Amino acid sequence: SKRIVEGAEEHRVSDGQFLLARANFAESKALKQEERMKSLAQAPQPQPDKQFSAAAGLARLEAEEAANRDSLFANVMDNVTRAVFGEEDRAGNNAQSQAESIEGLSQSLNETRNKLLERGDKLNTLADKSDRLVNASKDFASMAKELNRKSQGGFFW
């Protein structure tokens, strides 16, 4: 689980919820950037002027860099979104990808089950050992009391 602090409040969310929120945030950020790029592309371009050519070139480079970064990370977030929501693959390998994801989930569940069974066995062993230790400590306490009682009567009596 993840700990998220929002303002003065602290929240705990599962890993899946965290990834989903992160994917939604990245998707909305990419959409906003895309809208900004479209508005920049539709805005009338000023005539090249020697005073503004450096600023315009810098703005153009920043816009291209932002577009490249968004296209690079948007593909990653699309893949995460598809994996989380199980959306259809663009390549048309939906049946194959579903079979692979089901097989992966099955393997993961089997590993989890095996680890859970091992943990249960270890807990049972630990419970048995603790019961034996409790019994041994009770025997020791009774033997110590008896020895103390015998020594109270005197060494040779």
Side-chain angles (χ1 to χ4, degrees):
S1 69
K2 303 281 186 197
R3 184 181 72 146
I4 298 175
V5 177
E6 184 178 16
E9 295 182 22
E10 181 178 313
H11 305 281
R12 288 217 173 261
V13 295
S14 69
D15 291 335
Q17 290 172 330
F18 180 75
L19 287 175
L20 178 62
R22 212 164 124 191
N24 288 339
F25 176 73
E27 185 178 350
S28 66
K29 190 175 179 182
L31 289 174
K32 287 178 185 178
Q33 184 68 24
E34 187 177 317
E35 289 174 5
R36 190 176 343 147
M37 293 300 296
K38 285 180 182 179
S39 67
L40 286 176
Q42 292 174 353
Q45 298 294 327
Q47 293 297 326
D49 196 45
K50 289 187 178 183
Q51 294 177 346
F52 297 109
S53 63
L58 182 60
R60 184 177 48 82
L61 286 175
E62 287 177 353
E64 287 176 4
E65 182 180 330
N68 288 338
R69 182 177 53 243
D70 288 340
S71 68
L72 176 66
F73 291 116
N75 291 337
V76 171
M77 295 314 295
D78 287 342
N79 290 338
V80 169
T81 304
R82 268 189 253 119
V84 170
F85 293 117
E87 292 180 9
E88 188 173 308
D89 246 354
R90 289 183 183 151
N93 296 332
N94 193 23
Q96 182 181 1
S97 66
Q98 284 181 351
E100 290 173 356
S101 68
I102 289 173
E103 182 179 331
L105 287 173
S106 175
Q107 289 176 353
S108 175
L109 288 174
N110 285 337
E111 289 175 15
T112 304
R113 184 194 67 218
N114 291 340
K115 288 180 181 179
L116 184 63
L117 290 174
E118 288 175 13
R119 183 173 185 246
D121 290 342
K122 289 179 182 178
L123 287 174
N124 287 337
T125 302
L126 184 62
D128 291 341
K129 287 180 181 180
S130 66
D131 287 341
R132 286 189 298 229
L133 186 61
V134 166
N135 291 335
S137 66
K138 286 181 181 177
D139 290 344
F140 178 78
S142 66
M143 185 173 46
K145 285 180 185 178
E146 184 179 335
L147 184 62
N148 189 21
R149 188 175 39 95
K150 285 184 178 180
S151 68
Q152 292 289 335
F155 188 69
F156 293 106
W157 314 114

